[in-house]
mmCIF file of all heavy atoms in Angstrom:
data_model
loop_
_atom_site.group_PDB
_atom_site.id
_atom_site.type_symbol
_atom_site.label_atom_id
_atom_site.label_comp_id
_atom_site.label_asym_id
_atom_site.label_seq_id
_atom_site.Cartn_x
_atom_site.Cartn_y
_atom_site.Cartn_z
ATOM 1 N N LEU Q 320 0.823 -1.214 0.000
ATOM 2 C CA LEU Q 320 0.000 0.000 0.000
ATOM 3 C C LEU Q 320 0.856 1.263 0.000
ATOM 4 O O LEU Q 320 0.551 2.233 -0.694
ATOM 5 C CB LEU Q 320 -0.937 -0.001 1.210
ATOM 6 C CG LEU Q 320 -2.199 -0.862 1.100
ATOM 7 C CD1 LEU Q 320 -2.865 -0.998 2.463
ATOM 8 C CD2 LEU Q 320 -3.168 -0.272 0.086
ATOM 9 N N ILE Q 321 1.942 1.256 0.777
ATOM 10 C CA ILE Q 321 2.829 2.427 0.807
ATOM 11 C C ILE Q 321 3.456 2.645 -0.575
ATOM 12 O O ILE Q 321 3.445 3.752 -1.116
ATOM 13 C CB ILE Q 321 3.918 2.263 1.878
ATOM 14 C CG1 ILE Q 321 3.307 2.370 3.282
ATOM 15 C CG2 ILE Q 321 5.010 3.319 1.709
ATOM 16 C CD1 ILE Q 321 4.268 2.033 4.413
ATOM 17 N N THR Q 322 3.989 1.567 -1.150
ATOM 18 C CA THR Q 322 4.701 1.698 -2.424
ATOM 19 C C THR Q 322 3.769 2.095 -3.560
ATOM 20 O O THR Q 322 4.047 3.027 -4.326
ATOM 21 C CB THR Q 322 5.411 0.372 -2.771
ATOM 22 O OG1 THR Q 322 6.211 -0.033 -1.661
ATOM 23 C CG2 THR Q 322 6.300 0.541 -3.992
ATOM 24 N N ARG Q 323 2.647 1.393 -3.687
ATOM 25 C CA ARG Q 323 1.698 1.739 -4.752
ATOM 26 C C ARG Q 323 1.033 3.088 -4.458
ATOM 27 O O ARG Q 323 0.672 3.828 -5.368
ATOM 28 C CB ARG Q 323 0.641 0.655 -4.914
ATOM 29 C CG ARG Q 323 1.166 -0.695 -5.378
ATOM 30 C CD ARG Q 323 2.051 -0.612 -6.606
ATOM 31 N NE ARG Q 323 1.400 0.040 -7.734
ATOM 32 C CZ ARG Q 323 2.007 0.369 -8.862
ATOM 33 N NH1 ARG Q 323 3.300 0.132 -9.012
ATOM 34 N NH2 ARG Q 323 1.340 0.959 -9.843
ATOM 35 N N GLY Q 324 0.909 3.418 -3.174
ATOM 36 C CA GLY Q 324 0.347 4.720 -2.809
ATOM 37 C C GLY Q 324 1.231 5.860 -3.251
ATOM 38 O O GLY Q 324 0.749 6.921 -3.671
ATOM 39 N N ILE Q 325 2.560 5.661 -3.176
ATOM 40 C CA ILE Q 325 3.492 6.694 -3.634
ATOM 41 C C ILE Q 325 3.305 6.938 -5.129
ATOM 42 O O ILE Q 325 3.287 8.079 -5.592
ATOM 43 C CB ILE Q 325 4.940 6.286 -3.310
ATOM 44 C CG1 ILE Q 325 5.174 6.327 -1.795
ATOM 45 C CG2 ILE Q 325 5.941 7.203 -4.025
ATOM 46 C CD1 ILE Q 325 6.440 5.636 -1.346
ATOM 47 N N HIS Q 326 3.151 5.852 -5.895
ATOM 48 C CA HIS Q 326 2.873 6.000 -7.330
ATOM 49 C C HIS Q 326 1.598 6.821 -7.542
ATOM 50 O O HIS Q 326 1.546 7.702 -8.404
ATOM 51 C CB HIS Q 326 2.687 4.619 -7.973
ATOM 52 C CG HIS Q 326 3.960 3.884 -8.228
ATOM 53 N ND1 HIS Q 326 4.790 4.146 -9.293
ATOM 54 C CD2 HIS Q 326 4.562 2.877 -7.538
ATOM 55 C CE1 HIS Q 326 5.830 3.334 -9.267
ATOM 56 N NE2 HIS Q 326 5.717 2.564 -8.200
ATOM 57 N N GLU Q 327 0.586 6.510 -6.757
ATOM 58 C CA GLU Q 327 -0.714 7.183 -6.887
ATOM 59 C C GLU Q 327 -0.587 8.667 -6.537
ATOM 60 O O GLU Q 327 -1.119 9.538 -7.231
ATOM 61 C CB GLU Q 327 -1.722 6.489 -5.971
ATOM 62 C CG GLU Q 327 -3.149 6.872 -6.213
ATOM 63 C CD GLU Q 327 -4.122 5.854 -5.614
ATOM 64 O OE1 GLU Q 327 -3.960 4.637 -5.857
ATOM 65 O OE2 GLU Q 327 -5.038 6.284 -4.904
ATOM 66 N N MET Q 328 0.115 8.957 -5.463
ATOM 67 C CA MET Q 328 0.326 10.336 -5.033
ATOM 68 C C MET Q 328 1.077 11.128 -6.094
ATOM 69 O O MET Q 328 0.719 12.267 -6.430
ATOM 70 C CB MET Q 328 1.113 10.335 -3.713
ATOM 71 C CG MET Q 328 1.227 11.699 -3.046
ATOM 72 S SD MET Q 328 2.449 11.702 -1.693
ATOM 73 C CE MET Q 328 1.914 10.342 -0.692
ATOM 74 N N GLU Q 329 2.130 10.516 -6.641
ATOM 75 C CA GLU Q 329 2.944 11.201 -7.643
ATOM 76 C C GLU Q 329 2.150 11.440 -8.925
ATOM 77 O O GLU Q 329 2.214 12.519 -9.520
ATOM 78 C CB GLU Q 329 4.193 10.363 -7.945
ATOM 79 C CG GLU Q 329 5.184 11.047 -8.858
ATOM 80 C CD GLU Q 329 6.455 10.234 -9.032
ATOM 81 O OE1 GLU Q 329 6.417 9.000 -8.844
ATOM 82 O OE2 GLU Q 329 7.483 10.840 -9.374
ATOM 83 N N ARG Q 330 1.387 10.436 -9.350
ATOM 84 C CA ARG Q 330 0.573 10.568 -10.565
ATOM 85 C C ARG Q 330 -0.424 11.704 -10.431
ATOM 86 O O ARG Q 330 -0.604 12.523 -11.335
ATOM 87 C CB ARG Q 330 -0.163 9.244 -10.800
ATOM 88 C CG ARG Q 330 -0.872 9.129 -12.142
ATOM 89 C CD ARG Q 330 -1.642 7.824 -12.237
ATOM 90 N NE ARG Q 330 -0.804 6.679 -11.895
ATOM 91 C CZ ARG Q 330 -1.106 5.784 -10.965
ATOM 92 N NH1 ARG Q 330 -2.208 5.891 -10.256
ATOM 93 N NH2 ARG Q 330 -0.304 4.780 -10.735
ATOM 94 N N PHE Q 331 -1.055 11.793 -9.284
ATOM 95 C CA PHE Q 331 -2.055 12.832 -9.024
ATOM 96 C C PHE Q 331 -1.402 14.212 -9.008
ATOM 97 O O PHE Q 331 -1.887 15.157 -9.653
ATOM 98 C CB PHE Q 331 -2.729 12.542 -7.680
ATOM 99 C CG PHE Q 331 -3.826 13.500 -7.297
ATOM 100 C CD1 PHE Q 331 -5.044 13.463 -7.938
ATOM 101 C CD2 PHE Q 331 -3.639 14.412 -6.268
ATOM 102 C CE1 PHE Q 331 -6.079 14.327 -7.579
ATOM 103 C CE2 PHE Q 331 -4.646 15.282 -5.901
ATOM 104 C CZ PHE Q 331 -5.873 15.242 -6.557
ATOM 105 N N ALA Q 332 -0.283 14.326 -8.296
ATOM 106 C CA ALA Q 332 0.378 15.620 -8.148
ATOM 107 C C ALA Q 332 0.906 16.142 -9.484
ATOM 108 O O ALA Q 332 0.726 17.326 -9.822
ATOM 109 C CB ALA Q 332 1.510 15.512 -7.131
ATOM 110 N N ILE Q 333 1.542 15.282 -10.254
ATOM 111 C CA ILE Q 333 2.086 15.703 -11.546
ATOM 112 C C ILE Q 333 0.968 16.139 -12.487
ATOM 113 O O ILE Q 333 1.096 17.149 -13.202
ATOM 114 C CB ILE Q 333 2.935 14.573 -12.169
ATOM 115 C CG1 ILE Q 333 4.224 14.387 -11.363
ATOM 116 C CG2 ILE Q 333 3.250 14.871 -13.628
ATOM 117 C CD1 ILE Q 333 5.048 13.186 -11.777
ATOM 118 N N ALA Q 334 -0.142 15.403 -12.474
ATOM 119 C CA ALA Q 334 -1.270 15.750 -13.341
ATOM 120 C C ALA Q 334 -1.835 17.132 -13.020
ATOM 121 O O ALA Q 334 -2.414 17.787 -13.899
ATOM 122 C CB ALA Q 334 -2.372 14.694 -13.207
ATOM 123 N N LEU Q 335 -1.640 17.590 -11.774
ATOM 124 C CA LEU Q 335 -2.161 18.894 -11.362
ATOM 125 C C LEU Q 335 -1.087 19.980 -11.348
ATOM 126 O O LEU Q 335 -1.310 21.065 -10.822
ATOM 127 C CB LEU Q 335 -2.830 18.770 -9.996
ATOM 128 C CG LEU Q 335 -4.090 17.891 -9.984
ATOM 129 C CD1 LEU Q 335 -4.624 17.732 -8.573
ATOM 130 C CD2 LEU Q 335 -5.169 18.455 -10.893
ATOM 131 N N GLY Q 336 0.083 19.666 -11.904
ATOM 132 C CA GLY Q 336 1.091 20.705 -12.086
ATOM 133 C C GLY Q 336 2.257 20.694 -11.125
ATOM 134 O O GLY Q 336 3.094 21.603 -11.158
ATOM 135 N N ALA Q 337 2.348 19.692 -10.267
ATOM 136 C CA ALA Q 337 3.441 19.635 -9.294
ATOM 137 C C ALA Q 337 4.689 19.003 -9.906
ATOM 138 O O ALA Q 337 4.630 18.336 -10.942
ATOM 139 C CB ALA Q 337 3.004 18.838 -8.069
ATOM 140 N N ASP Q 338 5.812 19.193 -9.250
ATOM 141 C CA ASP Q 338 7.074 18.560 -9.617
ATOM 142 C C ASP Q 338 7.134 17.201 -8.923
ATOM 143 O O ASP Q 338 7.014 17.112 -7.694
ATOM 144 C CB ASP Q 338 8.238 19.454 -9.155
ATOM 145 C CG ASP Q 338 9.603 18.941 -9.608
ATOM 146 O OD1 ASP Q 338 9.727 17.739 -9.899
ATOM 147 O OD2 ASP Q 338 10.550 19.745 -9.641
ATOM 148 N N GLY Q 339 7.317 16.143 -9.710
ATOM 149 C CA GLY Q 339 7.343 14.795 -9.140
ATOM 150 C C GLY Q 339 8.406 14.615 -8.075
ATOM 151 O O GLY Q 339 8.252 13.804 -7.150
ATOM 152 N N LYS Q 340 9.511 15.376 -8.151
ATOM 153 C CA LYS Q 340 10.571 15.260 -7.140
ATOM 154 C C LYS Q 340 10.055 15.618 -5.753
ATOM 155 O O LYS Q 340 10.541 15.094 -4.744
ATOM 156 C CB LYS Q 340 11.744 16.171 -7.509
ATOM 157 C CG LYS Q 340 12.568 15.705 -8.701
ATOM 158 C CD LYS Q 340 13.818 16.554 -8.892
ATOM 159 C CE LYS Q 340 13.477 17.996 -9.210
ATOM 160 N NZ LYS Q 340 14.693 18.806 -9.523
ATOM 161 N N THR Q 341 9.115 16.536 -5.686
ATOM 162 C CA THR Q 341 8.574 16.953 -4.384
ATOM 163 C C THR Q 341 7.920 15.780 -3.669
ATOM 164 O O THR Q 341 8.038 15.635 -2.444
ATOM 165 C CB THR Q 341 7.553 18.091 -4.576
ATOM 166 O OG1 THR Q 341 8.193 19.172 -5.253
ATOM 167 C CG2 THR Q 341 7.009 18.574 -3.245
ATOM 168 N N ILE Q 342 7.234 14.932 -4.425
ATOM 169 C CA ILE Q 342 6.556 13.779 -3.829
ATOM 170 C C ILE Q 342 7.568 12.777 -3.293
ATOM 171 O O ILE Q 342 7.288 12.037 -2.355
ATOM 172 C CB ILE Q 342 5.618 13.116 -4.872
ATOM 173 C CG1 ILE Q 342 4.578 14.136 -5.358
ATOM 174 C CG2 ILE Q 342 4.922 11.893 -4.284
ATOM 175 C CD1 ILE Q 342 3.776 14.800 -4.251
ATOM 176 N N ASN Q 343 8.763 12.763 -3.850
ATOM 177 C CA ASN Q 343 9.804 11.864 -3.356
ATOM 178 C C ASN Q 343 10.602 12.463 -2.205
ATOM 179 O O ASN Q 343 11.604 11.892 -1.771
ATOM 180 C CB ASN Q 343 10.757 11.491 -4.501
ATOM 181 C CG ASN Q 343 10.075 10.612 -5.532
ATOM 182 O OD1 ASN Q 343 9.391 9.667 -5.183
ATOM 183 N ND2 ASN Q 343 10.237 10.936 -6.803
ATOM 184 N N GLY Q 344 10.142 13.607 -1.691
ATOM 185 C CA GLY Q 344 10.827 14.272 -0.596
ATOM 186 C C GLY Q 344 10.041 14.262 0.700
ATOM 187 O O GLY Q 344 9.156 13.425 0.921
ATOM 188 N N LEU Q 345 10.326 15.225 1.547
ATOM 189 C CA LEU Q 345 9.750 15.277 2.894
ATOM 190 C C LEU Q 345 8.235 15.428 2.887
ATOM 191 O O LEU Q 345 7.537 14.830 3.718
ATOM 192 C CB LEU Q 345 10.378 16.438 3.672
ATOM 193 C CG LEU Q 345 11.861 16.264 4.037
ATOM 194 C CD1 LEU Q 345 12.468 17.602 4.435
ATOM 195 C CD2 LEU Q 345 12.012 15.242 5.158
ATOM 196 N N ALA Q 346 7.707 16.234 1.952
ATOM 197 C CA ALA Q 346 6.265 16.500 1.936
ATOM 198 C C ALA Q 346 5.458 15.356 1.342
ATOM 199 O O ALA Q 346 4.231 15.329 1.485
ATOM 200 C CB ALA Q 346 5.984 17.780 1.148
#
């Protein structure tokens, strides 16, 4: 769940204009 959740979080954030690197960081 954690690993696939990270994929899900990153996919959502990038689609809305975020930098994918941010999702791989502290936030």
Side-chain angles (χ1 to χ4, degrees):
L320 281 168
I321 289 172
T322 308
R323 295 309 304 172
I325 291 166
H326 282 281
E327 192 162 310
M328 189 192 307
E329 186 175 24
R330 190 184 309 125
F331 182 73
I333 290 172
L335 294 175
D338 185 338
K340 288 188 297 185
T341 303
I342 301 306
N343 291 314
L345 291 164

